[in-house]
Amino acid sequence: LALGVDLQDEGQLRAAVVRAYEELGRIDVVVNNAAVAVPGPTLPQPMRKWRLAMEVNVNAALVLMQAACPRMASAGGGHVINVSSEAVGMPEFGRASYTVSKAALESLSGCLAYELTGSNVAVNVVRIDVMIWTEGFVFTLPGIDTIEFEDPVVLSDACLWLVQQPHSYTGKILTITGLRDQGIVRPRTR
């Protein structure tokens, strides 16, 4: 089921969850992986760019969790995987709204994992700490050599492993490298 939504529109996000339940009967997993990374210095940027990053990178994830988590809990449980980035600790990345919003998403994930304790809904973070090739990433880094970028399947490996864990496995921030070191994520793809 593919649904196009404006991630800045709370009504569309909530309607997408309702439609998924109508079409599929349940939601077992929510993966929040959308992101906006506005390049450049923060102070001269218009606030609309900052707000865009917060809306897409944090608020859209929260709205989807608000809409889906109670239903998942009522149905016996589920998993939320919020995708973050090693940029949370890299102010030199040059995209402050991205860095701050991903740190906020990680903090929000911990809070919701705590709040949902006992509900059989796990909330975890996969922090990407390797270069993964995506159209969006390449677009925001024009001219960069992508020969060393890995295939997005490494994120899929992490997500598939997480959804196989018991619901009590919650509130974790996991990295691709850490999961690879444990043999969970496949070896380098390029």
Side-chain angles (χ1 to χ4, degrees):
L1 175 64
L3 301 172
V5 297
D6 177 350
L7 295 176
Q8 299 176 85
D9 186 322
E10 181 179 342
Q12 286 186 33
L13 291 164
R14 291 183 186 282
V17 171
V18 169
R19 176 131 181 251
Y21 272 93
E22 289 171 350
E23 298 276 334
L24 304 172
R26 62 184 295 129
I27 294 177
D28 297 306
V29 180
V30 172
V31 178
N32 288 307
N33 188 33
V36 170
V38 179
T42 306
L43 296 179
Q45 286 185 5
M47 282 303 295
R48 66 180 168 74
K49 290 185 177 183
W50 182 270
R51 287 186 192 101
L52 173 65
M54 296 304 147
E55 283 297 322
V56 172
N57 301 356
V58 183
N59 297 344
L62 174 58
V63 170
L64 289 170
M65 290 185 283
Q66 287 176 329
C69 289
R71 288 179 157 200
M72 288 193 291
S74 295
H79 296 269
V80 175
I81 302 168
N82 291 319
V83 180
S84 185
S85 166
E86 71 178 341
V88 298
M90 298 174 57
E92 68 276 10
F93 184 55
R95 289 152 176 81
S97 61
Y98 180 78
T99 298
V100 169
S101 64
K102 288 302 183 175
L105 182 63
E106 288 187 4
S107 184
L108 174 63
S109 299
C111 291
L112 291 181
Y114 175 79
E115 289 178 17
L116 291 167
T117 298
S119 71
N120 285 329
V121 177
V123 181
N124 291 294
V125 172
V126 175
R127 182 188 290 167
I128 296 175
D129 63 338
V130 299
M131 302 290 265
I132 296 179
W133 192 96
T134 66
E135 293 90 348
F137 193 33
V138 172
F139 178 78
T140 64
L141 299 169
I144 192 166
D145 181 6
T146 61
I147 194 76
E148 296 293 322
F149 280 33
E150 295 200 48
D151 191 281
V153 72
V154 297
L155 179 57
S156 299
D157 290 344
C159 291
L160 287 172
W161 180 80
L162 265 174
V163 300
Q164 294 171 6
Q165 302 314 300
H167 296 119
S168 58
Y169 189 84
T170 189
K172 311 293 185 203
I173 298 175
L174 307 164
T175 64
I176 299 294
T177 301
L179 293 171
R180 178 174 283 149
D181 289 347
Q182 296 175 54
I184 295 163
V185 170
R186 69 191 70 204
R188 284 195 52 83
T189 58
R190 294 184 187 184

